[in-house]
Amino acid sequence: MASEKPLVAVTCTAPVNIAVIKYWGKRDEDLILPINSSLSVTLHQDQLKTTTTAAISKDFTEDRIWLNGREEDVGQPRLQACLREIRRLARKRRSAGDEDPLPLSLSYKVHIASVNNFPTAAGLASSAAGYACLAYALARLYGVESDLSEVARRGSGSACRSLYGGFVEWQMGERADGKDSIARQVAPESHWPELRVLILVVSAEKKLMGSTAGMQTSVETSSLLRFRAESVVPARMAEMTRCVQERDFQGFGQLTMKDSNQFHATCLDTFPPISYLSDTSRRIVQLVHCFNAHHGQTKVAYTFDAGPNAVVFALDDTVPEFVAAVRQCFPPESNGDKFLKGLPVRPVPLSDELKAALDVDPTPGGVKYIIATQVGPGPQILDDRQAHLLGPDGLPKPAA
């Protein structure tokens, strides 16, 4: 009896990605096909990651899922689409007669547990990391080796971009069945070692209007969005790819800011209008432009997704001074030591000239904290059994 494995489990981690050319709007709701291509930067998992364990056993009576320790509804359409897609690929592989190392019945039920090391739904792209991680873990479990873009995409569109490290493009594709709507790496994580990413967390509250509802309203009502998708994005994709390949920070930074601003303009052009930025977000925009004007060049660049948190790109030699500028404009409320998380940043004093140039009234506590990170790799398998989030009984292990 002991020789029979009661359960087979796989654990992996996956990264968050931040789009610098934004995805907003679907041409197919069900297959999650976008109206334009997008390009993103994969963030390092040392700072932000989702960890997922997927397990199958003949003893499980139903599919079940736990997120951050709480059991969630396994019947959500997107989760079901993901499971259906991976099981379809596994069946296809089997009927192709490939050698099968895992003689697991595809009728067995799966248990999934997933945890984020950052706040969920706070505008930190948790669904992208989550579905990329799920697709990757399930593929390992079922022995699927084909491209996982479609599996991840059915969960969350931007999740297909989290399947790779470095700089990633999601090609919108032309086909109605979406087979050519896939992610591919533009440059690996080692390509631009000086690039740094600062996440300025403005609020960790759940947002008023989620991305799914927001983008559909935009598709239905914004003529600006259609113009963006058809007439602006294609040239921007080419230009952004060039900036990344040539490590041209000035070009990269300016285009990143312009594309973020245009995305938020399409949100305002939506009817009724959607606003994801807060007063603090707008102050950060002003701070970045002041900082760059003072230096006479683009040294830092912001981008905002469907939420108020700012993601700021800079080269490593600019980071200490910019962090000092953020502290000046948004004096930390009491948690001075906890204000900066992630990669260490050496403290530097602000020059009087820059202080004078930062023409903003200080807003204490406007920025809750900063996560300093860098470009990172794609999903990773954790081989250590201790890493599994599910115990031998297929239920979540109690939190240590």
Side-chain angles (χ1 to χ4, degrees), residues 9 38 46 67 96 138 173 203 211 223 231 287 293 296 315 340 376 381 390 400:
S38 54
D46 283 353
L67 294 184
L138 290 171
S203 100
S211 309
S223 47
S231 306
L287 164 62
L315 298 180
L340 192 62
I381 293 285
L390 295 168

Side-chain angles (χ1 to χ4, degrees), residues 159-175:
C160 67
R161 299 191 309 244
S162 277
L163 291 170
Y164 300 95
F167 301 82
V168 183
E169 76 169 313
W170 174 14
Q171 299 168 335
M172 62 179 286
E174 304 295 324
R175 295 174 49 152

Side-chain angles (χ1 to χ4, degrees), residues 13-17 41-50 129 132 136 161-168 185 187-191 373-381:
T13 66
V16 168
N17 74 76
V41 179
T42 299
L43 304 186
H44 205 288
Q45 296 173 57
D46 283 353
Q47 282 75 45
L48 298 168
K49 69 169 186 272
T50 293
Y136 202 78
R161 299 191 309 244
S162 277
L163 291 170
Y164 300 95
F167 301 82
V168 183
Q185 190 180 66
E189 59 269 25
S190 56
H191 172 70
T373 184
Q374 58 193 337
V375 185
Q380 315 275 304
I381 293 285

